[in-house]
Amino acid sequence: MAGAEGDDSLYPIAVLIDELRNEDVQLRLNSIKKLSTIALALGVERTRTELLPFLTDTIYDEDEVLLALAEQLGSFTVLVGGPEFVHNLLPPLESLATVEETVVRDKAVESLRKISQEHSPVDLEVHFVPLVKRLASGDWFTSRTSACGLFSVCYPRVSSSVKADIRQHFRTLCSDDTPMVRRAAASKLGEFAKVLELDYVKSDIIPLFTALASDEQDSVRLLAVEAGVSIATLLPQEDLEALVMATLRQAAEDKSWRVRYMVADKFSELQKAVGPEITKTDLVPAFQNLLKDCEAEVRAAAANKVKVFCENLPEDSRETIIMTHILPCVKELVSDTNQHVKSALASVIMSLSTILGKDNTVEHLLPLFLVQLKDECPEVRLNIISNLDCVNEVIGIRQLSQSLLPAIVELAEDAKWRVRLAIIEYMPLLAGQLGVEFFDEKLNSLCMAWLIDHVFAIREAATCNLMKLVEKFGAVWAQNTIVPKVLGMANDSNYLHRMTTLFCINALSEVCGQEITTKHMLPVVLKMSTDQVANVRFNVARSLQKIGPVLDSSALQAEVKPVLEKLATDQDMDVKYFALEAISVLALA
Amino acid sequence: MSSAATTAPSVDKVDGFSRKSVRKTRQRRAQSSSQFRSQDKPIELVQLPLLKDVSAQEQPELFLKKLQQCCTLFDFLDTLSDLKMKEYKRSTLNELVDYVTLSRGYLTEQTYPEVVKMVSYNIFRTLPPSDSNEFDPEEDEPTLEASWPHLQLIYEFFIRFLESQEFQPSVAKKYIDQKFVLQLLELFDSEDPRERDCLKTVLHRIYGKFLGLRAFIRKQINNIFLCFVYETEHFSGVAELLEILGSIINGFALPLKAEHKQFLVKVLLPLHSVKSLSLFHAQLAYCIVQFLEKDPTLTEPVIRGLLKFWPKTCSQKEVMFLGELEEILDVIEPTQFVKIQELLFKQIARCVSSPHFQVAERALYYWNNEYIMSLIEENSSVILPIMFASLYRISKEHWNPAISALIYNVLKAFMEMNSALFDELAANYKSDRQRERKKDKEREDLWRKLEDLELRRGIQNSDGVIPT
């Protein structure tokens, strides 16, 4: 048996390194992905003394290889001998954290963050922190960018003097003269604030936040917004106004739409962070402005938040705020010029009815729903229809049915199949809410028309839809309304339609029960076993396998078995295959 | 299946969601900057007399007044509002353009801040959101700036102002400062090509006249490019900035400063990796060749850089790389060529055997270039062994007859260059392939053994940790 430290004669490092140096990138990549195997073959000692130095020295390679390497090293601790030796992994990762390619660098930082947890406090100060400081004062922006992500992982476990040093380095990076580094620092500011002592959050982080939030580049300012939310969560309520609110207010009115967009996008988090009082005094007017913003992107982001914002308003004044401040803006958005705004609104507007109750919904929201149901953009209508259940709970769906029908019909015939698919998925829900009569009268023909759609995904969804309808309305309804039509398609000249009959039978047999299946469906399936198209025939075999469990044994033996046996001798190999499969599954052999 | 074939649904209208059809329905937009909010009140400007109608003493003051009036902005998305005043501003701007072009003695110290202020008010604005997710600059129409009727004149006025004989950079530098330049550079992201063209001239003039801003401008362009390559992949004005850099590089003094070399290696070369390379490749290649003509010793790092960023899957980009490489080879010094030939021809061998015939064809065209041919001939003992296997294999296998014909010519050329080596390689071809296969097998064996070891270790470990 090979020794615990690897077998030198079998696996000389030269051979392994040769593999890592192979001219073919793909082979190099393969070897690097199996780096742990190589390390295992070498044993921990030689991995530390030979393999890691080699990796550190030959860091110039294809980015793809470097990415794999950066990832591997993150879980290499055991292979170098455990936590006591983990710092041996730092040199190669340090080089990887300085390369140009962002993906590689990010992965190196991720691995460094991971192995930082495996360092003892002493090793952290002796090995890890110096690395962070080296990166933070690197010449080229890439190493300084990488450094930003490493402060928060080492800060909690080092002595207070080292902590002061770390804070100082982070401060320097926040005022770096390349915007790339300031962006990295801004994006890590919130995370760093979380591990700092509260006093330092106030004395160190707040000035940095204020500075980054008024950076000359909007790409930096917008990242500060997210940090601002994190910082606000850390501060006691009484300090919020003095320390962060002025900056956040300014962000909500920034001259760059990207920053305002970010504020809108983070609005729920912000609302939670600042609490009910500031929400009432500051966030409500800010939210109104965002809903009225001159850029559609901002309005759409804000519209998306309408529901959550309203839900989280303090209960005592929720209704008043919504009715007097939010609803007027919402009313304007219903006829916005931009379809993304309208569609964002349509996806949340229905849920306001639960908050506002029956009377307000009927008086104020219903007219808006009706306008959106007639919108020119299908996505808007679809979003309204897909959220009908919220309204149904509050006022019932009847109020809407007159406007609903034309909207549904139009969507059902939309030129885009994804739109048709989406409306099909809401059919069972609609059917349940509108009732069987309304359904038979108005919607049934639509459901049948989808069965012969020219897109397979629609036919498939239509089949599944029928099954759900039968679950709702029962077998008797099925027998009277849909089964005859489905079976009628078995004689269609288009083989795709004939196959649809089979797919429907597959879906319906179980919910329709033994009687209908044996009496009405089985004869049709058996008859189709002589179809001239092989695809139909092998689907007959599959259907028989599927409906077999629903039938009783006499029908199986007397009717199904002979047909399957005949199909098992078919010329077409697929037909044969499925027939034999059905025979064995149904135990008819 | 015949019945199926005749009744099968037509495929042409199956998927309504393809990008093209969505786009067709979208109307082409003119967009205005993000700063205009709908103005409630109509704008009123007092009509001032024409400059030529007042006495020479009164002209400077009237000029200042007109500059101030032109700080008023109009909403051009609303095509019906303030028509009269829009026209008035337009004619005033026209008058100002003529005035700075023709007049003498108009440029007093007080004029500079007012001119810069007027220009800043008009051109500096937050650019509107673009459809960057879907926007394909090669196919889509750019979004045009709605306020162009005014903006164009502002740019023209500013360019005339900068070019005016009376213009004194020493006075202007108080107002045209780093902040001004930074905002100017941000505007290069404008989707409107007309605006970018004006900006190019403006920046060029500023770079030429303000020596103190040069290093700053270069650094900020660096930042824009780095952000473009490593963060956003979206910036409209890369081609324009490269065009300016082309002439800047041309003026670099020798020997090149380390800063400039770093710019070449760390900024210009990585620009090759961007998806939208085709939009600025000509300008980029020009900059690269400029550098090499200045300092031939940069050839090796440049070619190594190109090989590092060589496209793996995008044949269209690969053809561009081959084109750029030929431009470089056109100016390469033989001593530099020798340093890099092995790496280079390993890549060319891969291109020649590319299944994409345009790539193969572009690479094979090198053999029509007399200078490259002479370099190959001088070094045939090195290059031929690298190229031979690919050429030999492809000459029999390539699906495209035109490629086979080109390959045949290349092989013939090699045979004439060095027939002894050629015959030797041909004779060894088979045994070389066999040796390669043997090596592959050895590699497989090695990895199998290593994996066995890993498995054994796994078992050992799981035995070892059973607690007592």
Side-chain angles (χ1 to χ4, degrees):
Chain A
M1 165 162 301
E5 288 297 295
D7 189 326
D8 301 20
S9 59
L10 246 181
Y11 314 108
I13 188 157
V15 176
L16 300 172
I17 284 177
D18 245 18
E19 281 299 285
L20 293 171
R21 272 192 187 136
N22 197 296
E23 219 170 86
D24 186 333
V25 189
Q26 195 52 49
L27 290 176
R28 278 206 308 277
L29 191 59
N30 289 345
S31 337
I32 219 88
K33 282 185 175 159
K34 291 183 200 151
L35 198 60
S36 58
T37 310
I38 295 181
L40 201 60
L42 290 172
V44 294
E45 176 88 39
R46 298 186 65 201
T47 297
R48 287 200 301 267
T49 54
E50 294 174 51
L51 183 62
L52 287 178
F54 163 75
L55 291 172
T56 315
D57 290 343
T58 52
I59 226 77
Y60 181 88
D61 201 337
E62 297 273 335
D63 290 329
E64 215 179 335
V65 176
L66 297 183
L67 174 67
L69 177 58
E71 186 169 13
Q72 291 271 312
L73 291 177
S75 39
F76 235 59
T77 309
V78 179
L79 296 164
V80 292
E84 156 184 15
F85 297 100
V86 64
H87 60 84
N88 283 285
L89 297 173
L90 295 180
L93 281 170
E94 181 174 353
S95 311
L96 288 169
T98 63
V99 302
E100 247 72 57
E101 178 51 51
T102 323
V103 203
V104 177
R105 238 186 306 137
D106 287 350
K107 190 54 91 181
V109 170
E110 194 185 315
S111 289
L112 279 169
R113 287 169 70 110
K114 205 162 144 196
I115 64 167
S116 72
Q117 305 304 326
E118 286 153 348
H119 281 70
S120 69
V122 175
D123 280 349
L124 212 52
E125 285 191 20
V126 176
H127 300 287
F128 198 87
V129 174
L131 168 142
V132 178
K133 291 203 272 190
R134 275 196 303 279
L135 287 175
S137 41
D139 278 342
W140 192 240
F141 80 97
T142 50
S143 76
R144 303 200 297 279
T145 311
S146 294
C148 293
L150 298 173
F151 288 92
S152 65
V153 290
C154 50
Y155 189 84
R157 294 201 290 137
V158 294
S159 67
S160 56
S161 63
V162 177
K163 280 182 174 177
D165 205 14
I166 290 178
R167 289 196 303 275
Q168 177 53 42
H169 273 90
F170 194 81
R171 266 201 298 276
T172 314
L173 290 177
C174 285
S175 52
D176 198 278
D177 72 338
T178 65
M180 288 77 82
V181 177
R182 292 200 304 279
R183 273 195 288 277
S187 69
K188 299 294 177 194
L189 183 66
E191 175 190 293
F192 188 51
K194 279 186 193 151
V195 299
L196 248 60
E197 298 79 357
L198 184 60
D199 282 345
Y200 291 122
V201 172
K202 291 187 196 171
S203 65
D204 282 38
I205 298 291
I206 298 293
L208 296 177
F209 165 60
T210 316
L212 291 169
S214 45
D215 195 277
E216 62 201 3
Q217 303 238 335
D218 62 355
S219 53
V220 178
R221 295 200 299 277
L222 70 88
L223 290 167
V225 172
E226 206 173 349
V229 175
S230 308
I231 295 166
T233 13
L234 301 171
L235 294 172
Q237 187 71 31
E238 64 270 20
D239 289 332
L240 284 174
E241 178 56 43
L243 296 178
V244 291
M245 281 319 293
T247 312
L248 287 172
R249 270 194 291 270
Q250 168 199 319
E253 288 169 4
D254 197 283
K255 68 179 190 316
S256 161
W257 62 270
R258 288 186 188 86
V259 179
R260 300 196 304 274
Y261 171 89
M262 201 59 165
V263 174
D265 196 48
K266 300 279 165 230
F267 217 78
S268 322
E269 290 88 339
L270 184 60
Q271 188 183 7
K272 267 193 209 114
V274 299
E277 279 317 306
I278 294 182
T279 296
K280 272 195 262 182
T281 55
D282 279 283
L283 295 196
V284 172
F287 195 57
Q288 283 175 290
N289 284 338
L290 293 170
L291 288 172
K292 287 189 248 172
D293 198 277
C294 60
E295 283 305 337
E297 263 75 3
V298 180
R299 291 199 302 279
N304 260 321
K305 303 286 167 188
V306 164
K307 174 198 168 190
V308 190
F309 181 73
C310 293
E311 266 175 0
N312 293 332
L313 285 169
E315 216 157 316
D316 54 347
S317 49
R318 186 192 290 155
E319 196 176 318
T320 342
I321 293 178
I322 298 178
M323 295 306 293
T324 52
H325 298 292
I326 307 297
L327 203 57
C329 303
V330 168
K331 277 182 185 158
E332 273 176 47
L333 291 184
V334 164
S335 44
D336 199 279
T337 48
N338 182 292
Q339 70 172 53
H340 297 295
V341 177
K342 288 187 292 188
S343 129
L345 182 70
S347 64
V348 296
I349 189 174
M350 307 291 272
S351 47
L352 288 182
S353 51
T354 350
I355 307 174
L356 289 178
K358 190 171 173 184
D359 294 339
N360 281 328
T361 302
V362 173
E363 196 187 332
H364 298 285
L365 292 177
L366 197 56
L368 304 181
F369 301 159
L370 295 179
V371 173
Q372 292 219 296
L373 264 181
K374 295 192 190 93
D375 198 279
E376 55 177 6
C377 161
E379 214 178 308
V380 176
R381 285 174 267 149
L382 207 55
N383 282 348
I384 288 288
I385 290 173
S386 59
N387 287 299
L388 277 175
D389 46 340
C390 317
V391 184
N392 192 35
E393 285 161 21
V394 184
I395 58 168
I397 211 164
R398 288 274 160 181
Q399 302 248 27
L400 279 170
S401 55
Q402 282 315 309
S403 315
L404 215 43
L405 193 62
I408 293 172
V409 172
E410 216 178 300
L411 289 171
E413 289 160 358
D414 198 282
K416 296 170 183 170
W417 68 267
R418 284 173 213 273
V419 174
R420 300 200 296 278
L421 185 63
I423 189 75
I424 292 175
E425 279 161 10
Y426 294 112
M427 269 299 154
L429 181 75
L430 286 168
Q433 289 168 353
L434 293 166
V436 66
E437 277 163 48
F438 187 92
F439 183 86
D440 279 347
E441 197 181 319
K442 317 275 189 186
L443 300 178
N444 193 13
S445 55
L446 285 180
C447 291
M448 302 316 287
W450 283 320
L451 289 174
I452 52 168
D453 198 283
H454 57 260
V455 176
F456 176 74
I458 300 294
R459 298 197 297 274
E460 191 185 29
T463 312
C464 179
N465 172 45
L466 287 185
M467 182 183 78
K468 289 182 185 152
L469 290 173
V470 176
E471 280 171 357
K472 275 216 158 68
F473 295 152
V476 179
W477 175 81
Q479 194 181 348
N480 292 331
T481 52
I482 59 172
V483 172
K485 288 184 196 163
V486 166
L487 296 182
M489 283 164 56
N491 300 318
D492 201 289
S493 61
N494 185 337
Y495 86 106
L496 292 169
H497 297 175
R498 299 202 294 280
M499 292 216 296
T500 306
T501 299
L502 292 171
F503 297 146
C504 285
I505 288 173
N506 294 347
L508 292 175
S509 64
E510 205 181 320
V511 280
C512 284
Q514 196 183 58
E515 198 195 328
I516 298 178
T517 307
T518 319
K519 244 186 173 158
H520 301 279
M521 297 180 180
L522 184 60
V524 175
V525 179
L526 295 174
K527 198 170 143 238
M528 291 169 83
S529 67
T530 56
D531 199 289
Q532 58 179 352
V533 178
N535 290 29
V536 176
R537 293 200 302 279
F538 78 64
N539 272 298
V540 166
R542 294 173 77 182
S543 285
L544 289 173
Q545 180 184 333
K546 180 92 185 108
I547 66 173
V550 185
L551 303 169
D552 65 22
S553 60
S554 66
L556 275 176
Q557 290 297 336
E559 301 182 64
V560 175
K561 193 178 171 187
V563 169
L564 282 176
E565 277 169 352
K566 184 158 169 277
L567 288 175
T569 61
D570 200 282
Q571 288 176 327
D572 187 282
M573 58 183 276
D574 293 323
V575 179
K576 251 191 230 175
Y577 172 85
F578 286 110
L580 289 170
E581 189 182 76
I583 288 171
S584 93
V585 170
L586 295 173
L588 294 174
Chain B
M1 292 288 263
S2 62
S3 73
T6 49
T7 53
S10 62
V11 258
D12 54 348
K13 55 172 185 178
V14 166
D15 186 349
F17 257 87
S18 74
R19 279 157 46 91
K20 276 280 155 254
S21 60
V22 173
R23 270 214 221 108
K24 264 179 217 152
T25 60
R26 193 204 300 159
Q27 56 201 23
R28 196 190 301 173
R29 300 171 313 160
Q31 202 159 29
S32 197
S33 58
S34 183
Q35 70 194 356
F36 294 107
R37 292 171 191 256
S38 54
Q39 283 138 337
D40 303 330
K41 280 186 217 149
I43 296 167
E44 272 307 325
L45 294 177
V46 183
Q47 301 242 4
L48 297 171
L50 293 179
L51 283 160
K52 65 177 167 58
D53 293 346
V54 300
S55 67
Q57 291 101 312
E58 288 172 290
Q59 278 187 5
E61 207 194 322
L62 185 58
F63 180 57
L64 288 183
K65 273 192 186 154
K66 289 194 178 233
L67 284 174
Q68 277 155 12
Q69 275 195 334
C70 287
C71 290
T72 315
L73 302 179
F74 293 90
D75 180 2
F76 272 84
L77 281 185
D78 184 349
T79 46
L80 297 175
S81 68
D82 306 310
L83 283 179
K84 237 174 108 187
M85 286 300 119
K86 280 179 189 165
E87 174 53 29
Y88 172 67
K89 180 171 169 181
R90 202 190 61 79
S91 64
T92 307
L93 284 169
N94 264 324
E95 193 195 358
L96 293 180
V97 171
D98 290 343
Y99 186 68
V100 292
T101 318
L102 301 171
S103 304
R104 292 285 171 267
Y106 74 96
L107 255 181
T108 60
E109 290 241 356
Q110 301 105 292
T111 331
Y112 286 90
E114 293 301 323
V115 168
V116 174
K117 186 177 138 202
M118 192 278 279
V119 171
S120 307
Y121 259 73
N122 279 281
I123 65 171
F124 294 150
R125 61 206 195 279
T126 306
L127 294 170
S130 77
D131 304 327
S132 54
N133 301 336
E134 269 187 64
F135 185 72
D136 177 353
E138 282 193 302
E139 283 191 29
D140 293 342
E141 292 285 337
T143 314
L144 298 180
E145 175 59 46
S147 62
W148 189 244
H150 285 175
L151 211 49
Q152 178 184 22
L153 293 169
I154 304 276
Y155 279 116
E156 200 176 332
F157 167 76
F158 192 44
I159 291 167
R160 297 287 173 87
F161 168 75
L162 291 170
E163 288 174 348
S164 151
Q165 287 181 343
E166 297 181 10
F167 180 78
Q168 288 178 290
S170 54
V171 181
K173 72 179 182 196
K174 263 186 270 174
Y175 313 104
I176 296 176
D177 54 5
Q178 295 194 346
K179 186 153 190 269
F180 184 92
V181 168
L182 202 59
Q183 287 174 285
L184 198 68
L185 284 168
E186 276 176 24
L187 288 178
F188 275 85
D189 196 20
S190 167
E191 271 186 40
D192 194 327
R194 302 168 301 184
E195 177 166 22
R196 296 201 305 271
D197 207 49
C198 290
L199 284 164
K200 194 172 69 187
T201 315
V202 170
L203 187 66
H204 214 147
R205 296 291 167 272
I206 293 180
Y207 191 88
K209 290 188 193 275
F210 297 84
L211 304 186
L213 285 172
R214 286 185 176 183
F216 180 79
I217 291 174
R218 287 198 306 268
K219 197 168 96 187
Q220 295 308 323
I221 294 180
N222 267 4
N223 286 344
I224 288 174
F225 284 168
L226 290 169
C227 173
F228 170 68
V229 174
Y230 295 116
E231 294 181 4
T232 60
E233 290 229 347
H234 177 86
F235 191 83
S236 307
V238 177
E240 284 81 2
L241 290 176
L242 283 169
E243 214 172 301
I244 298 173
L245 283 167
S247 59
I248 292 178
I249 295 165
N250 209 347
F252 282 162
L254 287 172
L256 289 175
K257 286 190 204 160
E259 175 213 330
H260 301 324
K261 289 185 188 169
Q262 189 183 47
F263 169 67
L264 169 68
V265 175
K266 296 236 182 191
V267 184
L268 285 185
L269 288 175
L271 272 175
H272 286 89
S273 65
V274 175
K275 203 164 55 188
S276 55
L277 177 68
S278 64
L279 295 174
F280 53 84
H281 181 251
Q283 291 83 351
L284 180 58
Y286 178 78
C287 287
I288 301 276
V289 173
Q290 287 288 306
F291 260 113
L292 298 184
E293 293 204 69
K294 284 259 163 195
D295 182 355
T297 61
L298 292 169
T299 311
E300 187 180 342
V302 164
I303 291 183
R304 277 181 184 276
L306 284 180
L307 294 176
K308 177 174 155 71
F309 294 114
W310 200 272
K312 303 281 186 301
T313 54
C314 182
S315 314
Q316 211 194 347
K317 268 176 76 175
E318 211 171 347
V319 173
M320 287 185 254
F321 270 58
L322 285 164
E324 181 171 348
L325 204 51
E326 184 164 2
E327 283 182 53
I328 293 172
L329 290 174
D330 271 331
V331 299
I332 201 168
E333 288 185 358
T335 49
Q336 298 297 325
F337 180 82
V338 175
K339 284 188 199 164
I340 198 71
Q341 56 181 349
E342 279 180 65
L343 276 177
L344 184 60
F345 277 86
K346 275 179 191 162
Q347 181 58 53
I348 293 175
R350 277 195 287 272
C351 293
V352 162
S353 50
S354 166
H356 196 298
F357 84 96
Q358 285 175 333
V359 174
E361 188 181 58
R362 187 67 191 82
L364 288 163
Y365 279 164
Y366 284 9
W367 273 262
N368 294 341
N369 182 314
E370 273 179 35
Y371 183 60
I372 298 179
M373 265 306 260
S374 71
L375 290 168
I376 294 177
E377 192 160 3
E378 271 168 48
N379 300 284
S380 64
S381 59
V382 179
I383 294 170
L384 182 50
I386 298 172
M387 294 293 299
F388 185 80
S390 297
L391 292 170
Y392 194 76
R393 184 168 52 82
I394 289 299
S395 68
K396 295 176 177 160
E397 283 177 6
H398 206 282
W399 62 271
N400 186 307
I403 298 298
S404 300
L406 283 169
I407 297 249
Y408 176 76
N409 287 336
V410 170
L411 280 173
K412 209 169 119 216
F414 271 128
M415 196 152 55
E416 283 160 10
M417 267 177 221
N418 196 337
S419 59
L421 180 57
F422 188 92
D423 291 345
E424 190 191 324
L425 288 166
N428 291 340
Y429 181 78
K430 256 201 182 141
S431 56
D432 281 349
R433 296 295 82 73
Q434 270 166 356
R435 208 166 35 247
E436 269 172 31
R437 272 199 291 279
K438 194 167 159 249
K439 238 180 140 184
D440 285 347
K441 208 178 151 292
E442 279 170 9
R443 169 175 306 111
E444 274 172 38
D445 288 346
L446 170 72
W447 281 109
R448 203 169 312 119
K449 276 187 215 154
L450 286 173
E451 270 149 32
D452 286 350
L453 176 82
E454 191 168 28
L455 279 178
R456 258 200 347 259
R457 284 287 172 85
I459 294 164
Q460 269 180 8
N461 284 348
S462 61
D463 285 346
V465 292
I466 295 173
T468 48

